[in-house]
Amino acid sequence: MMPATALRLGNLVATADQPEHPDFVLMLEPCLVHLLQETLFREEHDIIGVPIDAATLHRYGIPHREWFPVGKRRVYLSVIHPRGLTQLHIGPQLHRVRWMHEIQNLIFDVTGEHLITHPHIHQPFQKTGDAGTQRAD
């Protein structure tokens, strides 16, 4: 079970009945999570973490075992097998994490930048006006 309070919009998670199909958190309600590819909300006890591995990092374009910039900080991820932990270095800070949403949240907390972005989640709502596309306020 994953409490909805541990999640943020854009976190990569999975459902207990389909752990091999990660999805993005689109909306959060108390005790409920709406995923991008789902039509209905899921109860928080149906949501599980996505384990961090080199293949998952590669799938989302996240460098593994090399320093890379996120905002004004440098980040380094190293998967430690067989413990299933990942070492996350953000500048001089070291964290040990197990799930993709944890690295997403830690990196955002420290850098203010999203590690993984999705246009339906991280872009502002757009509407078309007479003068073209403009931001809806």
Side-chain angles (χ1 to χ4, degrees):
M1 178 178 121
M2 173 143 342
T5 55
L7 299 173
R8 292 185 177 156
L9 300 183
N11 279 159
L12 188 63
V13 295
T15 58
D17 60 337
Q18 294 186 317
E20 67 283 352
H21 297 292
D23 201 353
F24 294 98
V25 174
L26 181 62
M27 288 175 51
L28 293 165
E29 294 283 335
C31 302
L32 298 172
V33 180
H34 188 187
L35 301 176
L36 186 63
Q37 302 298 321
E38 300 266 330
T39 56
L40 301 173
F41 279 88
R42 292 282 194 132
E43 292 188 23
E44 64 185 5
H45 67 266
D46 291 335
I47 303 298
I48 61 172
V50 173
I52 303 166
D53 60 30
T56 301
L57 295 173
H58 179 73
R59 182 178 311 123
Y60 294 100
I62 302 166
H64 175 243
R65 295 194 177 188
E66 66 182 78
W67 287 96
F68 61 97
V70 177
K72 296 181 180 182
R73 302 287 180 110
R74 290 173 37 102
V75 175
Y76 184 93
L77 290 166
S78 178
V79 178
I80 305 169
H81 290 290
R83 288 185 234 153
L85 294 175
T86 296
Q87 288 186 344
L88 168 61
H89 299 264
I90 305 175
Q93 299 175 356
L94 171 64
H95 306 272
R96 286 200 171 96
V97 293
R98 186 174 304 271
W99 311 110
M100 286 296 295
H101 74 278
E102 291 176 318
I103 64 171
Q104 289 178 274
N105 292 348
L106 279 168
I107 287 175
F108 185 80
D109 287 346
V110 174
T111 69
E113 300 285 333
H114 294 284
L115 182 63
I116 301 172
T117 60
H118 192 283
H120 296 302
I121 300 167
H122 297 104
Q123 296 294 323
F125 174 75
Q126 300 285 320
K127 70 176 182 177
T128 304
D130 294 338
T133 304
Q134 52 187 306
R135 185 170 175 206
D137 292 321

